[in-house]
Amino acid sequence: MSRVVVIGATGHIGTYLVPRLVRAGHEVIALSRGSRDPYHPSPEWQSVQRVTADRETASFGDRVAAFEADAVIDLVCFTPQQAQDLLDALRPTKPLLVHCGTIWVHGPALRSPITEDEPRTAYGDYGVAKMHIESLLHRETRTGGVPSVVLHPGHISGPGWPVITPAGNLDPTVWTTLALGKPLPLPDNGLGVLHHVHADDVAQAFERALTRPAAIGSSFHTVAAQAMTMRGLATGVAAWFGREPAFDMVSWAEFETRVGADHAATSRDHGHRNIAASIDRSRDVLGYSPRYTVVETLRESVRWLAANGQVDVGGQEF
């Protein structure tokens, strides 16, 4: 048994990860900013030590270090300063630090599938910050400090929260449009590439990273086995309802007029990167084997959204 601290334990990944760790025999200390329950109940949570801790306090790193864990899994580190503060606190004992990054450390893809060795071309505050955190952690490991592993998930999806649609945004009417067979506007001929992943598959990768010494000092993509184009996703979703999708291929300007500036901006952020991420290294080193395809992941997610009144599919079963 090892002691594992999970920071951000009740979020998308932690909901699945914490029960996995308990079942694997680990002692788990679950840190979260508030008292929110995980997205799905599980009996394993009864044997977990729940701790409320605010990362913005000066003592946060010392508080994590005081648990004297064998490993720390950080699911909610978003700035290099947060990463540095935690490293400084953990350096005396050097537990394994497993960090949640993002495939958005990559900018617009030049090759497909993109590998973890591709030069970093991140843009936007989120991707750039994660890129710098990754560099910081690997430098720390190379110089004999805190050993780390960085996992880069794609669009984390699952039941309990809105997920990226085949249009590359969070517009719930996309699901309604496909369910009812109405024309779906898509930019760039619907060829923008999206790479989703089920939250439980991400949790699988984090669990495996704890027991793979060869992973230390490296980064790993954590995504479904195959990425899909927007039109491919729309085709898969329409098939749930026994339909062929009706596409309305439009320019970006027309797309923004149709869906609004905010949804169009989100679609552009996703579609312009066009990332199909290789999982060869994750398979070889971590033994990672995603259970869900992208379409299966979205189906489970949308079923939950429909059952909870967040998406209208016209009362159809799927």
Side-chain angles (χ1 to χ4, degrees):
M1 175 187 290
S2 61
R3 177 177 291 181
V4 182
V5 172
V6 181
I7 304 172
T10 58
H12 298 167
I13 302 168
T15 288
Y16 293 93
L17 174 60
V18 169
R20 277 179 168 271
L21 296 177
V22 172
R23 290 193 295 269
H26 298 290
E27 176 190 355
V28 180
I29 300 164
L31 269 65
S32 55
R33 185 174 56 184
S35 57
R36 185 186 74 184
D37 288 331
Y39 285 94
H40 307 289
S42 175
E44 287 85 1
W45 285 91
Q46 297 175 13
S47 60
V48 171
Q49 182 179 348
R50 299 279 298 272
V51 177
T52 301
D54 186 350
R55 188 161 205 152
E56 299 308 311
T57 62
S59 61
F60 178 81
D62 292 335
R63 193 171 183 189
V64 174
F67 290 111
E68 299 182 343
D70 300 291
V72 175
I73 296 176
D74 194 351
L75 302 175
V76 289
C77 179
F78 301 114
T79 70
Q81 189 60 57
Q82 289 177 338
Q84 186 65 65
D85 291 344
L86 185 59
L87 286 174
D88 291 344
L90 297 179
R91 197 169 289 120
T93 54
K94 298 181 182 178
L96 176 65
L97 175 60
V98 188
H99 170 81
C100 183
T102 173
I103 60 171
W104 280 21
V105 296
H106 304 294
L110 300 181
R111 282 165 284 276
S112 187
I114 195 167
T115 72
E116 294 89 345
D117 294 327
E118 194 77 10
R120 299 298 183 249
T121 55
Y123 66 91
D125 292 344
Y126 177 66
V128 169
K130 286 292 192 178
M131 176 181 68
H132 289 315
I133 293 169
E134 177 187 40
S135 177
L136 174 67
L137 294 179
H138 289 335
R139 184 168 60 249
E140 174 79 13
T141 300
R142 287 195 305 271
T143 57
V146 178
S148 66
V149 178
V150 178
L151 301 185
H152 290 311
H155 313 310
I156 302 171
S157 308
W161 62 92
V163 294
I164 297 298
T165 72
N169 57 37
L170 291 170
D171 181 359
T173 67
V174 170
W175 308 114
T176 306
T177 298
L178 291 168
L180 301 182
K182 297 180 179 180
L184 177 69
L186 288 178
D188 286 342
N189 290 313
L191 296 178
V193 174
L194 303 171
H195 213 160
H196 295 72
V197 62
H198 195 290
D200 187 50
D201 281 332
V202 181
Q204 175 203 150
F206 273 94
E207 179 187 358
R208 291 177 179 276
L210 296 178
T211 58
R212 302 299 197 278
I216 294 172
S218 294
S219 296
F220 300 88
H221 291 151
T222 309
V223 288
Q226 284 186 299
M228 293 187 71
T229 62
M230 292 180 179
R231 66 190 303 158
L233 286 172
T235 300
V237 171
W240 302 342
F241 306 97
R243 302 182 186 277
E244 291 288 335
F247 293 123
D248 191 1
M249 301 303 182
V250 297
S251 67
W252 275 104
E254 177 64 17
F255 184 71
E256 181 171 333
T257 298
R258 299 273 193 95
V259 307
D262 289 343
H263 288 316
T266 302
S267 297
R268 188 177 288 107
D269 271 350
H270 288 88
H272 279 190
R273 286 176 169 83
N274 255 31
I275 296 172
S278 169
I279 59 170
D280 286 350
R281 179 184 292 175
S282 294
R283 281 174 166 150
D284 293 344
V285 179
L286 300 179
Y288 173 64
S289 179
R291 174 185 173 190
Y292 294 88
T293 68
V294 169
V295 173
E296 289 169 346
T297 296
L298 293 184
R299 190 169 193 168
E300 186 173 301
S301 302
V302 178
R303 277 177 171 163
W304 186 93
L305 292 169
N308 287 271
Q310 297 186 32
V311 164
D312 178 13
V313 294
Q316 299 175 86
E317 297 291 332
F318 62 102

